[in-house]
Amino acid sequence: LYVKENTVLILVGNKADLESRRLVSTQQGEALAKELKFDAFIETSAKENDKVSYCFSKLVQQVVDNGSFLQNTLQNNLDGPK
């Protein structure tokens, strides 16, 4: 997996409302996120609107916390249009 330094990565498991049809456990998702060096693993359900907003909030918070958004924006402005 190649991404630029300071890129925020969150592994999202969707369809958490379909517990009976689960193929990947929470522990497996967490382990994969850790193995891939992702910032978080979050299980969501779009159908039940469970943790969807939280997922986006977490992403934005991670971006703000590590400064990548500001750093990339400033660098792009300094570099000019491509």
Side-chain angles (χ1 to χ4, degrees):
L1 181 66
Y2 172 79
V3 294
K4 286 186 176 183
E5 187 176 337
N6 292 331
T7 299
V8 176
L9 298 170
I10 296 178
L11 181 59
V12 180
N14 193 24
K15 301 200 181 288
D17 55 292
L18 298 177
E19 185 66 36
S20 65
R21 295 172 56 190
R22 177 183 287 271
L23 299 177
V24 177
S25 71
T26 300
Q27 293 79 14
Q28 288 172 311
E30 290 169 344
L32 180 59
K34 185 175 181 177
E35 177 186 327
L36 296 174
K37 296 181 174 49
F38 279 31
D39 298 283
F41 170 70
I42 302 171
E43 293 182 310
T44 66
S45 170
K47 180 181 178 182
E48 294 181 358
N49 195 25
D50 181 33
K51 294 185 184 169
V52 175
S53 293
Y54 170 76
C55 184
F56 283 101
S57 296
K58 179 78 169 174
L59 175 63
V60 170
Q61 188 61 55
Q62 291 286 85
V63 169
V64 170
D65 286 351
N66 79 12
S68 64
F69 176 75
L70 181 58
Q71 181 181 12
N72 290 339
T73 300
L74 290 173
Q75 190 61 49
N76 288 341
N77 287 335
L78 292 173
D79 292 344
K82 297 191 190 275

